[in-house]
């Protein structure tokens, strides 16, 4: 499982560092992302301070997630902190109609879990503040007064067909600011939940990837290619007789991967995809170096396209332009080669999905950096040059 080991190294190498403002942030263990439509503000005593609709461009929100809630599809399974209105609004039933009118099970499930976190040894002031506020059961009414939720003036129920950032308002996901702190970015809250979640883990088993006895998981993360992606690389949820092919009695015998190990490799893969992944038709290609050094993108141009903006007799002639192109290519290749650490490996992974539920690793290779650069040089010399020459002739 060399690809998992390489992703694990990437996580360990990057997870604790400060990320630049223009680069994606690697998710902590036991966290996921959600697109928020509403943002509420409360103080440390649990008093409502305001609310607003969230712009689509700012919607992606890091949230604590249990093993079950991170993979929920149906049934009732609350997120630990931020969640949809149906889970966190105690007065939801006062404004909803039809089948969704009774949210008592959702709200109870959410509050019981939040209360367990609040009352345990890993509690956090923000958790106590949120519990104190939501326990008042006035979230929807506060949002109505803040003009974030629209109601029908006659019935007093949710206004039909009203949306927030393209989502029906009654289905909105809510994120929380406490004492003016954006909780979805707060490391102390993240660490508090990681510790709390770890305390809930079950018995330890042998992790086939790390060789350690740790709490296992059989519910691996999705959202690999984007925040709405439901496809998974690892899954053991098919117990109808096809997964184990008669070789094993149960999934535990077939494969066992530690929860933390799974979280780290999936979070590293997501981060690499968002940071430097390339889409080629339906396939996503990710290239990275073992030491996370800068390496050239195999698909990018190695020369200045402006050379071909105004073709003339010189640029239209292969013998006169080829030396200039090769000089730029060699400078780029050798410039990178000189900066690489010794024994640097380059990983190339291709991800594709034949179905909406499964991702296939359609390609995975590990190359010495020298071989990777040689391959790029060969491609640009023997293939890419012809394409760019054709471009100059058409210009």
């Amino acid at each position: 499982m060399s690809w998992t080991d390489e992703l694990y190294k990437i996580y360990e190498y990057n997870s604790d560092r400060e990320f630049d403002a223009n680069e994606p942030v690697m998710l902590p263990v036991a966290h996921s992302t959600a697109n928020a439509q509403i943002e509420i503000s409360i103080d440390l005593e649990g008093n409502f301070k305001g609310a607003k609709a969230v712009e689509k461009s700012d919607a992606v929100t890091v949230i604590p997630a249990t093993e079950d809630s991170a993979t929920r599809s149906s049934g009732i399974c609350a997120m630990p902190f931020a969640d949809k209105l149906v889970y966190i609004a105690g007065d939801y039933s006062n404004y909803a109609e039809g089948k969704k009118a009774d949210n008592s099970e959702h709200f109870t499930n959410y509050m019981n879990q939040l209360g367990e976190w609040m009352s345990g040894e890993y509690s956090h002031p923000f958790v106590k503040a949120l519990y104190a506020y939501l326990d008042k059961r006035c979230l929807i009414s506060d949002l109505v007064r803040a003009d974030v939720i629209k109601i029908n003036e006659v019935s007093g129920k949710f206004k039909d067909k009203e949306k927030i950032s393209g989502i029906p308002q009654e289905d909105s996901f809510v994120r929380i600011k406490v004492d003016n702190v954006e909780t979805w970015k707060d490391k102390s809250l993240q660490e508090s939940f990681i510790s709390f979640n770890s305390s809930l883990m079950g018995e330890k088993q042998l992790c086939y990837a790390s060789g350690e006895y740790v709490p296992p998981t059989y519910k691996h993360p999705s959202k690999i290619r984007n925040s709405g992606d439901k496809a998974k690389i690892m899954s053991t949820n098919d117990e109808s007789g096809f997964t184990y092919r008669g070789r094993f009695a149960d999934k535990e015998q077939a494969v066992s991967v530690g929860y933390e190990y799974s979280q780290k490799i999936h979070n590293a893969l997501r981060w690499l995809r968002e940071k430097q992944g390339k889409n080629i038709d339906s396939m996503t290609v990710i290239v990275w170096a073992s030491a996370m050094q800068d390496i050239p993108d195999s698909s990018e141009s190695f020369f200045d396209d402006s050379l071909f903006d105004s073709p003339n007799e010189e640029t239209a002639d292969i013998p006169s332009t080829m030396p200039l192109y090769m000089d730029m290519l060699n400078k780029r290749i050798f410039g990178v080669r000189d900066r690489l650490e010794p024994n640097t490996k380059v990983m190339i992974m291709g991800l594709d999905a034949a179905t909406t539920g499964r991702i296939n690793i359609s390609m995975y290779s590990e190359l010495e950096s020298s071989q990777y650069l040689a391959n790029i040089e060969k491609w640009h010399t023997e293939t890419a040059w012809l394409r760019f020459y054709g471009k100059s002739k058409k210009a």
Side-chain angles (χ1 to χ4, degrees):
M1 300 180 75
S2 58
W3 63 272
T4 62
D5 290 338
E6 292 298 334
L7 289 173
Y8 188 87
K9 292 175 186 176
I10 290 298
Y11 186 92
E12 294 293 280
Y13 186 81
N14 288 276
S15 60
D16 292 332
R17 72 175 176 85
E18 292 294 326
F19 294 91
D20 296 335
N22 60 346
E23 72 172 321
V25 176
M26 188 176 288
L27 287 176
V29 168
H31 285 72
S32 185
T33 58
N35 291 327
Q37 288 78 46
I38 296 175
E39 178 180 307
I40 65 170
S41 297
I42 60 175
D43 63 21
L44 285 170
E45 285 69 46
N47 299 309
F48 183 78
K49 292 297 181 181
K52 68 175 185 178
V54 178
E55 297 292 335
K56 279 187 177 181
S57 59
D58 186 40
V60 178
T61 304
V62 177
I63 60 169
T66 63
E67 184 181 26
D68 291 331
S69 68
T71 57
R72 76 182 184 193
S73 56
S74 60
I76 298 174
C77 186
M79 293 292 180
F81 195 78
D83 209 333
K84 292 185 174 184
L85 284 173
V86 70
Y87 278 98
I88 69 174
D91 57 345
Y92 187 90
S93 61
N94 296 339
Y95 297 87
E97 294 181 293
K99 295 180 180 179
K100 295 182 178 180
D102 183 9
N103 77 319
S104 57
E105 290 186 43
H106 293 77
F107 184 69
T108 299
N109 181 262
Y110 173 87
M111 291 297 284
N112 285 345
Q113 182 171 248
L114 188 67
E116 187 178 357
W117 183 6
M118 178 190 67
S119 59
E121 62 178 304
Y122 303 111
S123 186
H124 190 281
F126 295 168
V127 178
K128 294 179 179 179
L130 182 60
Y131 188 95
Y133 170 64
L134 295 179
D135 196 40
K136 300 174 184 177
R137 301 172 182 251
C138 59
L139 175 57
I140 302 295
S141 60
D142 284 340
L143 291 174
V144 171
R145 283 193 293 271
D147 201 32
V148 174
I149 291 292
K150 313 293 184 184
I151 61 171
N152 185 299
E153 294 181 358
V154 176
S155 66
K157 304 295 184 179
F158 288 120
K159 191 172 182 179
D160 289 342
K161 300 180 180 179
E162 192 70 32
K163 294 185 177 182
I164 302 176
S165 296
I167 300 297
Q169 60 176 354
E170 61 270 26
D171 295 329
S172 294
F173 194 99
V174 183
R175 68 187 187 191
I176 303 97
K177 287 178 70 174
V178 181
D179 202 29
N180 291 320
V181 175
E182 296 174 328
T183 60
W184 56 96
K185 299 178 181 178
D186 188 77
K187 289 189 177 296
S188 67
L189 182 64
Q190 292 171 356
E191 291 168 359
S192 169
F193 179 72
I194 291 171
S195 297
F196 169 67
N197 187 65
S198 180
S199 70
L200 304 177
M201 294 279 102
E203 295 183 0
K204 297 180 179 180
Q205 293 182 13
L206 176 65
C207 173
Y208 286 25
S210 68
E212 299 176 349
Y213 279 89
V214 293
T217 186
Y218 298 96
K219 298 178 180 179
H220 301 281
S222 56
K223 302 182 180 179
I224 303 298
R225 294 169 299 174
N226 54 67
S227 60
D229 187 15
K230 299 299 184 183
K232 297 181 179 183
I233 292 180
M234 299 181 185
S235 180
T236 57
N237 66 353
D238 178 9
E239 298 183 351
S240 60
F242 295 101
T243 300
Y244 314 121
R245 302 285 183 180
R247 295 179 174 87
F248 305 103
D250 51 45
K251 61 188 178 186
E252 287 80 5
Q253 293 180 359
V255 65
S256 175
V257 179
Y259 172 77
E260 185 174 289
Y261 190 93
S262 174
Q263 287 280 302
K264 289 182 177 181
I265 65 171
H266 283 89
N267 289 351
L269 183 57
R270 275 187 226 142
W271 180 73
L272 284 169
R273 186 270 310 161
E274 188 175 355
K275 180 179 172 65
Q276 56 206 55
K278 296 283 185 179
N279 292 323
I280 303 175
D281 292 329
S282 63
M283 184 168 64
T284 300
V285 178
I286 307 168
V287 182
W288 75 94
S290 56
M292 279 309 293
Q293 292 178 278
D294 289 333
I295 54 174
D297 182 341
S298 60
S299 64
E300 70 181 358
S301 174
F302 275 65
F303 66 100
D304 184 359
D305 283 357
S306 64
L307 288 172
F308 300 122
D309 285 348
S310 301
N312 51 41
E313 291 183 359
E314 285 190 86
T315 59
D317 183 61
I318 290 180
S320 62
T321 55
M322 187 66 162
L324 179 60
Y325 174 82
M326 289 305 299
D327 180 60
M328 290 181 175
L329 176 61
N330 286 329
K331 285 180 180 178
R332 180 68 184 275
I333 291 291
F334 283 101
V336 172
R337 186 175 295 158
D338 291 342
R339 296 195 305 271
L340 288 174
E341 294 180 6
N343 303 318
T344 297
K345 287 194 303 183
V346 175
M347 275 59 67
I348 306 171
M349 176 181 281
L351 302 173
D352 210 342
T355 69
T356 57
R358 297 290 181 270
I359 292 178
N360 174 45
I361 300 178
S362 54
M363 172 182 65
Y364 180 73
S365 297
E366 294 182 4
L367 302 173
E368 294 295 329
S369 58
S370 58
Q371 184 61 54
Y372 175 72
L373 295 176
N375 290 351
I376 291 179
E377 184 176 11
K378 180 180 177 64
W379 185 85
H380 276 273
T381 301
E382 299 181 5
T383 305
W385 165 249
L386 299 177
R387 178 165 60 87
F388 291 127
Y389 174 68
K391 176 181 177 180
S392 72
K393 298 290 285 185
K394 293 177 183 179

